[in-house]
Amino acid sequence: MSPLRPQRVPTIRELLAGGGRSFSFEFFPPKTDKGARNLWRAIRELEALRPTFVSVTYGAGGGTRDKTVDIVERIATDTTLTPVAHFTAVNHSIRELRHLVGRFASVGVRNMLALRGDPPGDPLGEWIQHPDGVAYAEDLVQLIRSSGDFSVGVAAFPYKHPRSPDIESDTRYFVRKCRAGADYAITQMFFRAEDYFRLRDRVSAQGCDTPIIPGIMPVTQLSTIERSEQLSGAPFPRELAARFEAVAHDPEAVRLLGVEHAAELCRELLEQGAPGIHFITFNKSTATREVYNLLGAASYLTPPLTA
């Protein structure tokens, strides 16, 4: 184990229970050597901000499994960061899932985000359970928790999961994941604070107090708007889209508006009791650092959530 890292890495459960607010960053496995260099540059630049944790996504159908594992292992052994490994059930047997849990544990990774995952090729295509696998995210939560001293997070959807028939069903499914053993949740990206507050109120009304961390992605170019709708399954707010359309002729103005809006959104969320912010970075650090600085994020970290 790296001399930079304490002998026992804290769990997200412990970090959230310690007071203060969580600030974290999400990365994805790159496809090219250039992408890999950009990823590690962003990781090193954001490491200086001392985030509570960083997470690494897992491609649809487990398509980036090996890259995800390699990146998480390197973060665990070569940096001061606390990694959270995204973990999906798609195309994996229970035996394979337990093997992956063991591999993460062998390098000191104790934090995971349990997701059922999307089918390969078409995220909205038919979801087919592996004949020797698990059917739902709550099953994956139970599998990980039964494998050792791990902290497990799950996904939350401010709008609703694209596969859920309605908001009420989506809320019930979420609460079941929490009661299966989830310690915290991270939302899919959203762009209006009220969407998060409605989610929090719905969950609270069901008697569930699992901390829900907002997932925020700064809009730095107009193409991000369309991409956000594809990723989140939620329509981009019309009033916000109009603000971006007004400066569409100026790419730098679009970027600055995106940073400003993200900072405004984060500030409102934190002032209304959100337990932290999870920044979706797309492996770039500039906009995220600008939002962090505009927000004065360090001032919210009292006491600091660090090991």
Side-chain angles (χ1 to χ4, degrees), residues 219-280:
V219 174
T220 57
Q221 51 191 7
L222 292 180
S223 61
T224 306
I225 295 176
E226 181 179 353
R227 188 174 186 183
S228 74
E229 293 181 337
Q230 294 172 345
L231 292 172
S232 68
F236 195 80
R238 291 182 179 179
E239 68 279 8
L240 183 57
R243 292 175 62 186
F244 280 100
E245 289 168 3
V247 295
H249 61 283
D250 186 344
E252 180 60 14
V254 170
R255 195 188 73 82
L256 291 174
L257 175 58
V259 169
E260 176 187 342
H261 169 261
E264 292 172 354
L265 177 58
C266 291
R267 186 174 293 110
E268 183 176 358
L269 291 165
L270 293 168
E271 289 176 351
Q272 295 298 319
I277 301 292
H278 185 67
F279 290 103
I280 300 167

Short mmCIF file of all heavy atoms in Angstrom, two decimals, residues 219-280:
data_model
loop_
_atom_site.label_atom_id
_atom_site.label_comp_id
_atom_site.label_asym_id
_atom_site.label_seq_id
_atom_site.Cartn_x
_atom_site.Cartn_y
_atom_site.Cartn_z
N VAL A 219 -22.62 22.88 -17.58
CA VAL A 219 -22.82 22.90 -19.03
C VAL A 219 -21.77 23.82 -19.63
O VAL A 219 -21.82 25.03 -19.45
CB VAL A 219 -24.23 23.39 -19.40
CG1 VAL A 219 -24.37 23.53 -20.91
CG2 VAL A 219 -25.28 22.44 -18.85
N THR A 220 -20.81 23.27 -20.35
CA THR A 220 -19.73 24.09 -20.90
C THR A 220 -19.83 24.30 -22.41
O THR A 220 -19.10 25.09 -22.98
CB THR A 220 -18.36 23.47 -20.57
OG1 THR A 220 -18.33 22.12 -21.06
CG2 THR A 220 -18.13 23.47 -19.06
N GLN A 221 -20.74 23.59 -23.06
CA GLN A 221 -21.00 23.79 -24.48
C GLN A 221 -22.41 23.30 -24.78
O GLN A 221 -22.98 22.49 -24.05
CB GLN A 221 -19.97 23.06 -25.35
CG GLN A 221 -19.78 21.61 -25.00
CD GLN A 221 -18.58 21.01 -25.71
OE1 GLN A 221 -17.82 21.71 -26.37
NE2 GLN A 221 -18.42 19.71 -25.61
N LEU A 222 -22.99 23.82 -25.87
CA LEU A 222 -24.39 23.52 -26.15
C LEU A 222 -24.64 22.04 -26.35
O LEU A 222 -25.72 21.53 -26.02
CB LEU A 222 -24.85 24.32 -27.37
CG LEU A 222 -24.95 25.84 -27.17
CD1 LEU A 222 -25.42 26.51 -28.45
CD2 LEU A 222 -25.89 26.18 -26.03
N SER A 223 -23.68 21.32 -26.89
CA SER A 223 -23.87 19.89 -27.11
C SER A 223 -24.07 19.15 -25.79
O SER A 223 -24.64 18.05 -25.77
CB SER A 223 -22.68 19.31 -27.87
OG SER A 223 -21.48 19.48 -27.13
N THR A 224 -23.60 19.74 -24.69
CA THR A 224 -23.76 19.12 -23.38
C THR A 224 -25.23 19.00 -23.01
O THR A 224 -25.63 18.07 -22.31
CB THR A 224 -23.02 19.94 -22.31
OG1 THR A 224 -21.66 20.14 -22.71
CG2 THR A 224 -23.05 19.24 -20.97
N ILE A 225 -26.04 19.94 -23.48
CA ILE A 225 -27.47 19.92 -23.15
C ILE A 225 -28.12 18.67 -23.70
O ILE A 225 -28.83 17.94 -22.99
CB ILE A 225 -28.15 21.19 -23.68
CG1 ILE A 225 -27.60 22.43 -22.94
CG2 ILE A 225 -29.66 21.08 -23.52
CD1 ILE A 225 -28.15 23.74 -23.47
N GLU A 226 -27.89 18.39 -24.99
CA GLU A 226 -28.46 17.19 -25.59
C GLU A 226 -27.92 15.93 -24.92
O GLU A 226 -28.66 14.98 -24.66
CB GLU A 226 -28.14 17.16 -27.08
CG GLU A 226 -28.73 15.95 -27.80
CD GLU A 226 -28.42 15.96 -29.29
OE1 GLU A 226 -27.87 16.95 -29.79
OE2 GLU A 226 -28.74 14.95 -29.95
N ARG A 227 -26.62 15.96 -24.63
CA ARG A 227 -26.01 14.79 -24.00
C ARG A 227 -26.60 14.55 -22.61
O ARG A 227 -26.82 13.41 -22.20
CB ARG A 227 -24.50 14.99 -23.91
CG ARG A 227 -23.74 13.76 -23.45
CD ARG A 227 -22.25 13.98 -23.52
NE ARG A 227 -21.51 12.77 -23.23
CZ ARG A 227 -20.19 12.71 -23.17
NH1 ARG A 227 -19.46 13.79 -23.40
NH2 ARG A 227 -19.57 11.57 -22.88
N SER A 228 -26.87 15.64 -21.89
CA SER A 228 -27.42 15.49 -20.54
C SER A 228 -28.79 14.83 -20.59
O SER A 228 -29.13 14.02 -19.71
CB SER A 228 -27.52 16.85 -19.85
OG SER A 228 -28.59 17.62 -20.37
N GLU A 229 -29.60 15.15 -21.60
CA GLU A 229 -30.91 14.54 -21.71
C GLU A 229 -30.80 13.05 -22.01
O GLU A 229 -31.58 12.25 -21.50
CB GLU A 229 -31.72 15.26 -22.80
CG GLU A 229 -32.07 16.71 -22.43
CD GLU A 229 -32.88 17.40 -23.50
OE1 GLU A 229 -32.82 16.96 -24.68
OE2 GLU A 229 -33.57 18.38 -23.18
N GLN A 230 -29.81 12.69 -22.83
CA GLN A 230 -29.61 11.28 -23.15
C GLN A 230 -29.16 10.50 -21.92
O GLN A 230 -29.60 9.37 -21.68
CB GLN A 230 -28.58 11.13 -24.27
CG GLN A 230 -29.04 11.71 -25.61
CD GLN A 230 -27.94 11.73 -26.64
OE1 GLN A 230 -26.75 11.57 -26.31
NE2 GLN A 230 -28.30 11.91 -27.90
N LEU A 231 -28.28 11.11 -21.13
CA LEU A 231 -27.71 10.43 -19.97
C LEU A 231 -28.69 10.35 -18.80
O LEU A 231 -28.72 9.36 -18.07
CB LEU A 231 -26.42 11.13 -19.52
CG LEU A 231 -25.23 11.02 -20.48
CD1 LEU A 231 -24.10 11.92 -20.01
CD2 LEU A 231 -24.75 9.58 -20.58
N SER A 232 -29.46 11.42 -18.60
CA SER A 232 -30.31 11.48 -17.41
C SER A 232 -31.74 11.02 -17.67
O SER A 232 -32.46 10.66 -16.73
CB SER A 232 -30.37 12.91 -16.88
OG SER A 232 -31.06 13.77 -17.78
N GLY A 233 -32.16 11.04 -18.95
CA GLY A 233 -33.53 10.70 -19.25
C GLY A 233 -34.52 11.78 -18.88
O GLY A 233 -35.73 11.57 -18.91
N ALA A 234 -34.01 12.96 -18.49
CA ALA A 234 -34.86 14.07 -18.07
C ALA A 234 -34.72 15.23 -19.05
O ALA A 234 -33.63 15.49 -19.56
CB ALA A 234 -34.47 14.53 -16.67
N PRO A 235 -35.82 15.93 -19.33
CA PRO A 235 -35.73 17.08 -20.23
C PRO A 235 -34.93 18.22 -19.61
O PRO A 235 -35.00 18.44 -18.40
CB PRO A 235 -37.20 17.47 -20.44
CG PRO A 235 -37.90 16.98 -19.21
CD PRO A 235 -37.19 15.71 -18.82
N PHE A 236 -34.17 18.91 -20.43
CA PHE A 236 -33.41 20.07 -19.95
C PHE A 236 -34.40 21.22 -19.72
O PHE A 236 -35.28 21.46 -20.55
CB PHE A 236 -32.37 20.47 -20.99
CG PHE A 236 -31.32 21.40 -20.47
CD1 PHE A 236 -30.25 20.93 -19.73
CD2 PHE A 236 -31.39 22.77 -20.73
CE1 PHE A 236 -29.28 21.78 -19.26
CE2 PHE A 236 -30.42 23.64 -20.27
CZ PHE A 236 -29.36 23.15 -19.52
N PRO A 237 -34.32 21.92 -18.58
CA PRO A 237 -35.30 22.97 -18.27
C PRO A 237 -35.37 24.03 -19.37
O PRO A 237 -34.34 24.56 -19.80
CB PRO A 237 -34.76 23.57 -16.97
CG PRO A 237 -33.94 22.49 -16.36
CD PRO A 237 -33.32 21.75 -17.50
N ARG A 238 -36.58 24.35 -19.82
CA ARG A 238 -36.75 25.28 -20.92
C ARG A 238 -36.20 26.66 -20.60
O ARG A 238 -35.58 27.32 -21.45
CB ARG A 238 -38.24 25.38 -21.29
CG ARG A 238 -38.81 24.12 -21.93
CD ARG A 238 -40.27 24.33 -22.30
NE ARG A 238 -40.84 23.14 -22.93
CZ ARG A 238 -42.10 23.06 -23.34
NH1 ARG A 238 -42.91 24.11 -23.18
NH2 ARG A 238 -42.55 21.95 -23.90
N GLU A 239 -36.47 27.14 -19.38
CA GLU A 239 -36.02 28.48 -19.04
C GLU A 239 -34.51 28.59 -19.03
O GLU A 239 -33.94 29.62 -19.41
CB GLU A 239 -36.60 28.90 -17.68
CG GLU A 239 -36.08 28.15 -16.47
CD GLU A 239 -36.74 26.79 -16.21
OE1 GLU A 239 -37.52 26.33 -17.08
OE2 GLU A 239 -36.45 26.20 -15.16
N LEU A 240 -33.83 27.51 -18.64
CA LEU A 240 -32.38 27.51 -18.64
C LEU A 240 -31.85 27.39 -20.06
O LEU A 240 -30.86 28.04 -20.43
CB LEU A 240 -31.85 26.38 -17.76
CG LEU A 240 -30.34 26.27 -17.60
CD1 LEU A 240 -29.74 27.56 -17.05
CD2 LEU A 240 -29.97 25.10 -16.69
N ALA A 241 -32.51 26.56 -20.87
CA ALA A 241 -32.10 26.43 -22.26
C ALA A 241 -32.16 27.78 -22.98
O ALA A 241 -31.30 28.10 -23.81
CB ALA A 241 -32.99 25.41 -22.97
N ALA A 242 -33.17 28.59 -22.65
CA ALA A 242 -33.30 29.91 -23.27
C ALA A 242 -32.12 30.81 -22.92
O ALA A 242 -31.65 31.59 -23.76
CB ALA A 242 -34.62 30.56 -22.83
N ARG A 243 -31.62 30.69 -21.69
CA ARG A 243 -30.45 31.49 -21.31
C ARG A 243 -29.23 31.10 -22.13
O ARG A 243 -28.44 31.96 -22.54
CB ARG A 243 -30.16 31.31 -19.81
CG ARG A 243 -31.20 31.89 -18.88
CD ARG A 243 -30.89 31.57 -17.43
NE ARG A 243 -29.62 32.15 -16.98
CZ ARG A 243 -29.09 31.90 -15.78
NH1 ARG A 243 -29.69 31.08 -14.93
NH2 ARG A 243 -27.94 32.47 -15.44
N PHE A 244 -29.08 29.82 -22.38
CA PHE A 244 -27.94 29.38 -23.19
C PHE A 244 -28.12 29.75 -24.66
O PHE A 244 -27.15 30.13 -25.33
CB PHE A 244 -27.74 27.87 -23.03
CG PHE A 244 -27.03 27.48 -21.76
CD1 PHE A 244 -27.74 27.02 -20.67
CD2 PHE A 244 -25.65 27.60 -21.66
CE1 PHE A 244 -27.08 26.68 -19.50
CE2 PHE A 244 -24.99 27.26 -20.49
CZ PHE A 244 -25.70 26.81 -19.40
N GLU A 245 -29.33 29.64 -25.15
CA GLU A 245 -29.57 30.00 -26.55
C GLU A 245 -29.28 31.46 -26.82
O GLU A 245 -28.85 31.83 -27.91
CB GLU A 245 -31.03 29.68 -26.91
CG GLU A 245 -31.31 28.17 -26.99
CD GLU A 245 -32.79 27.87 -27.07
OE1 GLU A 245 -33.59 28.83 -27.11
OE2 GLU A 245 -33.14 26.67 -27.08
N ALA A 246 -29.45 32.31 -25.80
CA ALA A 246 -29.20 33.75 -25.97
C ALA A 246 -27.73 34.06 -26.20
O ALA A 246 -27.39 35.11 -26.76
CB ALA A 246 -29.71 34.51 -24.74
N VAL A 247 -26.84 33.16 -25.79
CA VAL A 247 -25.40 33.40 -25.97
C VAL A 247 -24.78 32.30 -26.84
O VAL A 247 -23.56 32.11 -26.84
CB VAL A 247 -24.66 33.47 -24.61
CG1 VAL A 247 -25.13 34.68 -23.82
CG2 VAL A 247 -24.88 32.18 -23.79
N ALA A 248 -25.62 31.59 -27.60
CA ALA A 248 -25.15 30.45 -28.38
C ALA A 248 -24.08 30.81 -29.39
O ALA A 248 -23.27 29.97 -29.78
CB ALA A 248 -26.33 29.78 -29.09
N HIS A 249 -24.05 32.07 -29.82
CA HIS A 249 -23.08 32.52 -30.82
C HIS A 249 -21.68 32.67 -30.26
O HIS A 249 -20.71 32.84 -31.00
CB HIS A 249 -23.52 33.86 -31.39
CG HIS A 249 -23.60 34.95 -30.35
ND1 HIS A 249 -24.65 35.04 -29.45
CD2 HIS A 249 -22.75 35.97 -30.05
CE1 HIS A 249 -24.44 36.07 -28.65
NE2 HIS A 249 -23.31 36.65 -28.99
N ASP A 250 -21.56 32.61 -28.91
CA ASP A 250 -20.28 32.88 -28.24
C ASP A 250 -19.92 31.69 -27.34
O ASP A 250 -20.41 31.59 -26.21
CB ASP A 250 -20.40 34.16 -27.41
CG ASP A 250 -19.08 34.59 -26.79
OD1 ASP A 250 -18.14 33.77 -26.73
OD2 ASP A 250 -18.99 35.76 -26.36
N PRO A 251 -19.06 30.76 -27.80
CA PRO A 251 -18.72 29.58 -27.01
C PRO A 251 -18.19 29.89 -25.62
O PRO A 251 -18.50 29.18 -24.65
CB PRO A 251 -17.66 28.86 -27.87
CG PRO A 251 -17.95 29.33 -29.26
CD PRO A 251 -18.41 30.74 -29.13
N GLU A 252 -17.39 30.95 -25.49
CA GLU A 252 -16.85 31.29 -24.18
C GLU A 252 -17.95 31.79 -23.25
O GLU A 252 -17.95 31.49 -22.05
CB GLU A 252 -15.75 32.35 -24.30
CG GLU A 252 -15.13 32.78 -22.98
CD GLU A 252 -14.47 31.66 -22.19
OE1 GLU A 252 -14.23 30.57 -22.76
OE2 GLU A 252 -14.18 31.86 -21.00
N ALA A 253 -18.91 32.54 -23.81
CA ALA A 253 -20.04 32.99 -23.00
C ALA A 253 -20.88 31.80 -22.53
O ALA A 253 -21.39 31.79 -21.41
CB ALA A 253 -20.89 33.98 -23.78
N VAL A 254 -21.03 30.80 -23.39
CA VAL A 254 -21.75 29.59 -23.02
C VAL A 254 -21.05 28.91 -21.84
O VAL A 254 -21.68 28.51 -20.86
CB VAL A 254 -21.85 28.62 -24.21
CG1 VAL A 254 -22.37 27.25 -23.76
CG2 VAL A 254 -22.77 29.19 -25.30
N ARG A 255 -19.73 28.79 -21.96
CA ARG A 255 -18.96 28.13 -20.89
C ARG A 255 -19.08 28.90 -19.57
O ARG A 255 -19.29 28.29 -18.51
CB ARG A 255 -17.50 28.02 -21.31
CG ARG A 255 -16.68 27.05 -20.47
CD ARG A 255 -15.21 27.14 -20.81
NE ARG A 255 -14.65 28.36 -20.28
CZ ARG A 255 -14.25 28.51 -19.01
NH1 ARG A 255 -14.39 27.51 -18.15
NH2 ARG A 255 -13.75 29.64 -18.59
N LEU A 256 -18.95 30.21 -19.63
CA LEU A 256 -19.02 31.02 -18.41
C LEU A 256 -20.41 30.94 -17.78
O LEU A 256 -20.53 30.88 -16.55
CB LEU A 256 -18.66 32.47 -18.73
CG LEU A 256 -17.19 32.72 -19.09
CD1 LEU A 256 -16.99 34.18 -19.52
CD2 LEU A 256 -16.27 32.37 -17.93
N LEU A 257 -21.45 30.94 -18.62
CA LEU A 257 -22.81 30.80 -18.10
C LEU A 257 -22.98 29.46 -17.42
O LEU A 257 -23.62 29.36 -16.36
CB LEU A 257 -23.82 30.97 -19.23
CG LEU A 257 -25.30 30.74 -18.86
CD1 LEU A 257 -25.74 31.69 -17.75
CD2 LEU A 257 -26.18 30.90 -20.09
N GLY A 258 -22.41 28.40 -18.02
CA GLY A 258 -22.52 27.08 -17.43
C GLY A 258 -21.86 27.00 -16.06
O GLY A 258 -22.41 26.40 -15.12
N VAL A 259 -20.71 27.60 -15.94
CA VAL A 259 -20.00 27.62 -14.66
C VAL A 259 -20.79 28.43 -13.62
O VAL A 259 -20.97 28.01 -12.47
CB VAL A 259 -18.58 28.20 -14.84
CG1 VAL A 259 -17.93 28.48 -13.49
CG2 VAL A 259 -17.72 27.23 -15.66
N GLU A 260 -21.29 29.58 -14.06
CA GLU A 260 -22.06 30.45 -13.15
C GLU A 260 -23.33 29.75 -12.68
O GLU A 260 -23.66 29.77 -11.48
CB GLU A 260 -22.42 31.75 -13.88
CG GLU A 260 -23.31 32.69 -13.07
CD GLU A 260 -23.77 33.88 -13.89
OE1 GLU A 260 -23.15 34.17 -14.93
OE2 GLU A 260 -24.77 34.51 -13.49
N HIS A 261 -24.04 29.12 -13.62
CA HIS A 261 -25.27 28.43 -13.23
C HIS A 261 -24.99 27.27 -12.28
O HIS A 261 -25.72 27.07 -11.29
CB HIS A 261 -26.00 27.89 -14.47
CG HIS A 261 -27.12 26.95 -14.12
ND1 HIS A 261 -26.97 25.58 -14.16
CD2 HIS A 261 -28.38 27.19 -13.68
CE1 HIS A 261 -28.09 25.01 -13.77
NE2 HIS A 261 -28.96 25.95 -13.48
N ALA A 262 -23.94 26.49 -12.56
CA ALA A 262 -23.61 25.36 -11.69
C ALA A 262 -23.29 25.84 -10.27
O ALA A 262 -23.71 25.22 -9.29
CB ALA A 262 -22.45 24.57 -12.26
N ALA A 263 -22.56 26.96 -10.17
CA ALA A 263 -22.23 27.50 -8.84
C ALA A 263 -23.49 27.96 -8.11
O ALA A 263 -23.66 27.72 -6.90
CB ALA A 263 -21.24 28.64 -8.98
N GLU A 264 -24.40 28.63 -8.85
CA GLU A 264 -25.66 29.07 -8.24
C GLU A 264 -26.47 27.87 -7.75
O GLU A 264 -27.03 27.88 -6.65
CB GLU A 264 -26.49 29.84 -9.28
CG GLU A 264 -25.91 31.18 -9.70
CD GLU A 264 -26.67 31.78 -10.87
OE1 GLU A 264 -27.56 31.09 -11.42
OE2 GLU A 264 -26.37 32.93 -11.24
N LEU A 265 -26.53 26.84 -8.56
CA LEU A 265 -27.28 25.64 -8.21
C LEU A 265 -26.70 24.98 -6.98
O LEU A 265 -27.42 24.62 -6.04
CB LEU A 265 -27.28 24.68 -9.40
CG LEU A 265 -27.96 23.32 -9.22
CD1 LEU A 265 -29.42 23.49 -8.84
CD2 LEU A 265 -27.83 22.50 -10.51
N CYS A 266 -25.38 24.81 -6.96
CA CYS A 266 -24.72 24.17 -5.81
C CYS A 266 -24.94 24.98 -4.53
O CYS A 266 -25.20 24.41 -3.47
CB CYS A 266 -23.22 24.04 -6.08
SG CYS A 266 -22.80 22.86 -7.37
N ARG A 267 -24.84 26.28 -4.64
CA ARG A 267 -25.01 27.12 -3.45
C ARG A 267 -26.42 26.96 -2.88
O ARG A 267 -26.59 26.80 -1.65
CB ARG A 267 -24.74 28.58 -3.81
CG ARG A 267 -24.76 29.53 -2.59
CD ARG A 267 -24.35 30.93 -2.97
NE ARG A 267 -22.94 30.98 -3.37
CZ ARG A 267 -22.53 31.18 -4.61
NH1 ARG A 267 -23.40 31.34 -5.58
NH2 ARG A 267 -21.24 31.22 -4.87
N GLU A 268 -27.43 26.95 -3.75
CA GLU A 268 -28.80 26.78 -3.27
C GLU A 268 -28.99 25.41 -2.62
O GLU A 268 -29.65 25.29 -1.57
CB GLU A 268 -29.78 26.95 -4.43
CG GLU A 268 -31.24 26.86 -4.00
CD GLU A 268 -32.21 27.14 -5.14
OE1 GLU A 268 -31.76 27.44 -6.26
OE2 GLU A 268 -33.43 27.05 -4.89
N LEU A 269 -28.42 24.38 -3.22
CA LEU A 269 -28.55 23.04 -2.67
C LEU A 269 -27.91 22.95 -1.28
O LEU A 269 -28.51 22.40 -0.34
CB LEU A 269 -27.90 22.03 -3.61
CG LEU A 269 -28.60 21.82 -4.96
CD1 LEU A 269 -27.68 21.09 -5.93
CD2 LEU A 269 -29.90 21.05 -4.76
N LEU A 270 -26.71 23.48 -1.15
CA LEU A 270 -26.00 23.40 0.12
C LEU A 270 -26.70 24.23 1.20
O LEU A 270 -26.79 23.81 2.36
CB LEU A 270 -24.56 23.85 -0.06
CG LEU A 270 -23.69 22.92 -0.92
CD1 LEU A 270 -22.38 23.60 -1.28
CD2 LEU A 270 -23.43 21.60 -0.21
N GLU A 271 -27.19 25.39 0.82
CA GLU A 271 -27.87 26.24 1.80
C GLU A 271 -29.18 25.63 2.27
O GLU A 271 -29.65 25.95 3.37
CB GLU A 271 -28.11 27.62 1.20
CG GLU A 271 -26.83 28.44 1.04
CD GLU A 271 -27.06 29.78 0.36
OE1 GLU A 271 -28.18 30.01 -0.14
OE2 GLU A 271 -26.11 30.59 0.33
N GLN A 272 -29.74 24.71 1.46
CA GLN A 272 -30.98 24.04 1.84
C GLN A 272 -30.74 22.63 2.36
O GLN A 272 -31.66 21.81 2.39
CB GLN A 272 -31.94 24.01 0.65
CG GLN A 272 -32.41 25.38 0.19
CD GLN A 272 -33.21 26.11 1.26
OE1 GLN A 272 -34.02 25.50 1.96
NE2 GLN A 272 -32.96 27.40 1.41
N GLY A 273 -29.49 22.35 2.77
CA GLY A 273 -29.23 21.13 3.51
C GLY A 273 -28.72 19.93 2.75
O GLY A 273 -28.62 18.83 3.33
N ALA A 274 -28.37 20.07 1.48
CA ALA A 274 -27.78 18.93 0.77
C ALA A 274 -26.47 18.53 1.45
O ALA A 274 -25.71 19.39 1.89
CB ALA A 274 -27.53 19.29 -0.70
N PRO A 275 -26.20 17.21 1.54
CA PRO A 275 -25.01 16.76 2.27
C PRO A 275 -23.70 16.96 1.53
O PRO A 275 -22.64 16.62 2.05
CB PRO A 275 -25.28 15.26 2.48
CG PRO A 275 -26.16 14.88 1.33
CD PRO A 275 -27.03 16.09 1.07
N GLY A 276 -23.75 17.51 0.32
CA GLY A 276 -22.52 17.74 -0.44
C GLY A 276 -22.85 17.88 -1.92
O GLY A 276 -24.02 18.01 -2.30
N ILE A 277 -21.81 17.84 -2.73
CA ILE A 277 -21.95 17.94 -4.18
C ILE A 277 -21.03 16.90 -4.83
O ILE A 277 -19.86 16.78 -4.44
CB ILE A 277 -21.57 19.34 -4.71
CG1 ILE A 277 -22.45 20.42 -4.07
CG2 ILE A 277 -21.67 19.38 -6.23
CD1 ILE A 277 -23.91 20.39 -4.47
N HIS A 278 -21.56 16.19 -5.82
CA HIS A 278 -20.76 15.25 -6.61
C HIS A 278 -20.66 15.82 -8.02
O HIS A 278 -21.66 15.89 -8.74
CB HIS A 278 -21.43 13.88 -6.63
CG HIS A 278 -20.64 12.81 -7.31
ND1 HIS A 278 -19.45 12.34 -6.80
CD2 HIS A 278 -20.86 12.10 -8.46
CE1 HIS A 278 -18.97 11.38 -7.60
NE2 HIS A 278 -19.81 11.24 -8.62
N PHE A 279 -19.46 16.27 -8.41
CA PHE A 279 -19.26 16.90 -9.71
C PHE A 279 -18.98 15.85 -10.79
O PHE A 279 -18.06 15.04 -10.65
CB PHE A 279 -18.09 17.87 -9.66
CG PHE A 279 -18.35 19.11 -8.84
CD1 PHE A 279 -17.82 19.23 -7.57
CD2 PHE A 279 -19.12 20.15 -9.35
CE1 PHE A 279 -18.05 20.37 -6.81
CE2 PHE A 279 -19.36 21.29 -8.60
CZ PHE A 279 -18.83 21.40 -7.32
N ILE A 280 -19.76 15.88 -11.86
CA ILE A 280 -19.52 15.02 -13.02
C ILE A 280 -18.57 15.77 -13.93
O ILE A 280 -18.94 16.79 -14.53
CB ILE A 280 -20.85 14.70 -13.72
CG1 ILE A 280 -21.78 13.98 -12.72
CG2 ILE A 280 -20.62 13.84 -14.96
CD1 ILE A 280 -23.22 13.89 -13.18
#
